[in-house]
Amino acid sequence: LILEEDKALLTDYFFHIMKQLRLCRFSENDRKTRGGKRDNIKVGFGGLQCVHCSENQNSRKFFWSNVDRLANSFAEIPSHVLKCRRCPVQTKQALQDLKERHSEQMTHLPRGSQKVFFRRMWRRLHGDEESKVSLKCEEVDSQEVTSSEAKESIEGGEIVKKDENNNESNTSLDDNIILGMSTASAAKALADYAAGMKPLTRILLAIDEDKKWLSDMDCFVRSNLEVFCATQYDIEFAESDRKYPITQSQIGIRCVHCALSSQGARGTAVFFPPFISGIYESVREFQRIHLESCPCLPKHFKEKLSTLKGSSSLSSVLRRYYVEAAQALGIHDTDEGMRAGCEPKPVGWKEGDEKDLSESIRHIETSNQEFLSLPSVENLTKKRKHGD
């Protein structure tokens, strides 16, 4: 449920409170509870359970219908752990010691970091249900395409296939499958694209790390956008659409569904952010004025979009993540707009960041074993006093 990488998102107190829980699955025996709030929960639904009283017939279990309810009622968890009759006194005292530092540590965590953790935990509990109705993705490495397979290139919004004899034929866009890549493969493909090598498939703005940091809505929106390098064709389109001037190989983002259509992506479906810090605003604009009304958006995508209304990450989290996600794809700023081909940088808030305090997360050093395994609270307190 909780990993070492989650330390950067939580205070010592919350991190170790989570260590007192384990995954459980809803059963018919869990349905009878005060208030009758579990009538609609399906058997097998994931929840949390106190590790200390888990063997009791009436052990404390927590089930939420969505991640927002989990976040809003999280206080129920530490309240139970600190009162649980089965929880060792030493553990309670150790947690109380950490609780004293909780408020101070919270001031060093960027707004939204705790919600990021709740989303991670929610997905660990329930899996990636979005993949059932999202893009039909498969892992692709451009180096694995053999000479006997048809080669694809993108020309003016159309998919053009070339066989072994270099003969071209337009594919049926309805049958085309939008392919996804790993972040590393996408960065390499984008660098090759910038160097003049047409990609074998679409390069999505969405990357593997999105699921660790963003809400389902933000992940979904990003998965509907592709990253591309401007060609002369795009430059002429931009001029006719009266957009700001762009240059050859400048990085842009566009609706992947419109790009796959015979008309190509035009107008509100295309954006050329001048800097990587502007990608966030461009995606927000795409979501606001184009995505829902996109004439090329498949029906099941529209249905998925309607279920995600109101689910979004905090802007403080989004702005920073969008910059780091772009850098993970090797995108960088130049005097002529964004370009690809820079050395990719990993995504993540980690120890050693030298950024402004309001934009960074202090890495948490305490481990569960360190404080829960000590013979007494006095020893724990002494160690903390000498270590501070």
Side-chain angles (χ1 to χ4, degrees):
L1 289 176
I2 188 164
L3 306 176
E4 287 299 304
E5 64 187 47
D6 299 325
K7 281 185 176 182
L9 303 173
L10 303 170
T11 65
D12 293 343
Y13 177 57
F14 274 5
F15 181 82
H16 293 293
I17 281 289
M18 293 308 305
K19 288 282 189 177
Q20 315 312 310
L21 303 170
R22 73 180 187 185
L23 171 66
C24 66
R25 296 294 177 185
F26 188 81
S27 67
E28 284 297 338
N29 293 332
D30 299 319
R31 199 171 297 284
K32 294 181 180 180
T33 183
R34 288 183 298 176
K37 296 180 180 180
R38 295 179 175 177
D39 292 342
N40 298 322
I41 301 179
K42 295 181 179 180
V43 173
F45 189 75
L48 300 177
Q49 181 178 29
C50 173
V51 298
H52 304 291
C53 60
S54 59
E55 299 303 322
N56 286 11
Q57 185 176 1
N58 297 320
S59 63
R60 190 68 168 93
K61 298 180 181 181
F62 305 87
F63 298 97
W64 299 274
S65 58
N66 56 59
V67 67
D68 292 321
R69 289 186 179 275
L70 185 161
N72 293 335
S73 58
F74 181 75
E76 296 177 14
I77 294 177
S79 176
H80 166 76
V81 173
L82 294 177
K83 295 178 181 179
C84 180
R85 295 180 180 180
R86 296 280 180 165
C87 182
V89 173
Q90 180 182 334
T91 299
K92 292 181 181 180
Q93 290 176 326
L95 289 170
Q96 288 285 7
D97 180 74
L98 294 182
K99 187 177 181 180
E100 294 179 3
R101 305 173 57 172
H102 174 70
S103 296
E104 187 274 332
Q105 288 186 341
M106 283 292 290
T107 64
H108 297 295
L109 298 178
R111 185 168 175 263
S113 61
Q114 189 169 290
K115 189 63 175 289
V116 170
F117 166 72
F118 287 141
R119 289 198 181 96
R120 288 185 181 182
M121 185 176 68
W122 181 262
R123 287 170 180 141
R124 291 166 190 165
L125 284 172
H126 302 286
D128 184 12
E129 297 179 356
E130 179 178 317
S131 61
K132 298 176 182 178
V133 290
S134 186
L135 294 173
K136 296 178 180 179
C137 292
E138 63 183 70
E139 194 68 15
V140 173
D141 189 329
S142 59
Q143 293 180 334
E144 294 179 354
V145 179
T146 64
S147 60
S148 61
E149 295 176 307
K151 304 295 189 292
E152 289 185 344
S153 64
I154 302 173
E155 298 180 2
E158 294 185 327
I159 300 293
V160 178
K161 282 191 175 181
K162 296 183 179 181
D163 58 22
E164 292 179 306
N165 299 320
N166 209 38
N167 296 319
E168 297 183 358
S169 63
N170 293 335
T171 67
S172 170
L173 296 176
D174 292 336
D175 296 332
N176 185 70
I177 297 177
I178 301 173
L179 301 175
M181 302 180 185
S182 67
T183 305
S185 295
K188 183 182 184 303
L190 195 57
D192 291 342
Y193 196 173
M197 298 173 59
K198 292 289 183 68
L200 297 175
T201 186
R202 303 283 167 164
I203 303 171
L204 298 181
L205 182 64
I207 61 175
D208 296 340
E209 290 77 7
D210 287 5
K211 287 294 185 182
K212 287 187 175 182
W213 298 97
L214 305 180
S215 69
D216 290 342
M217 169 63 89
D218 295 307
C219 290
F220 178 77
V221 172
R222 285 169 58 86
S223 69
N224 287 274
L225 285 159
E226 70 168 338
V227 184
F228 68 101
C229 295
T231 62
Q232 185 59 39
Y233 185 88
D234 298 310
I235 294 174
E236 294 173 0
F237 257 6
E239 290 177 351
S240 63
D241 287 340
R242 297 183 179 180
K243 286 184 179 287
Y244 33 81
I246 62 173
T247 57
Q248 191 84 14
S249 297
Q250 182 175 337
I251 291 292
I253 57 176
R254 62 191 174 195
C255 174
V256 69
H257 308 291
C258 290
L260 284 168
S261 70
S262 58
Q263 293 80 23
R266 299 285 300 271
T268 61
V270 185
F271 298 85
F272 288 95
F275 309 105
I276 57 176
S277 58
I279 296 177
Y280 166 77
E281 296 295 347
S282 294
V283 174
R284 278 288 161 271
E285 191 75 355
F286 165 79
Q287 180 181 355
R288 185 178 67 85
I289 66 176
H290 180 82
L291 183 58
E292 191 168 355
S293 60
C294 174
C296 303
L297 189 66
K299 181 180 178 181
H300 66 281
F301 277 65
K302 292 182 179 180
E303 293 173 349
K304 178 62 178 178
L305 181 60
S306 66
T307 66
L308 297 174
K309 296 291 184 180
S311 172
S312 183
S313 308
L314 292 172
S315 60
S316 57
V317 174
L318 283 171
R319 290 181 183 277
R320 173 171 176 173
Y321 179 79
Y322 272 57
V323 170
E324 293 195 354
Q327 293 173 336
L329 290 173
I331 301 174
H332 61 108
D333 292 330
T334 73
D335 293 337
E336 295 184 310
M338 300 188 304
R339 302 282 165 165
C342 186
E343 183 68 23
K345 297 180 181 180
V347 173
W349 299 336
K350 57 187 180 303
E351 183 179 15
D353 280 351
E354 298 299 333
K355 300 179 181 179
D356 183 80
L357 183 60
S358 64
E359 292 296 323
S360 65
I361 295 181
R362 186 172 61 85
H363 189 73
I364 307 300
E365 293 296 334
T366 312
S367 70
N368 189 56
Q369 182 178 5
E370 176 185 350
F371 81 91
L372 291 182
S373 63
L374 290 175
S376 68
V377 177
E378 288 76 18
N379 287 343
L380 173 62
T381 304
K382 289 179 181 179
K383 182 173 183 179
R384 289 191 174 282
K385 285 183 177 179
H386 292 306
D388 287 348

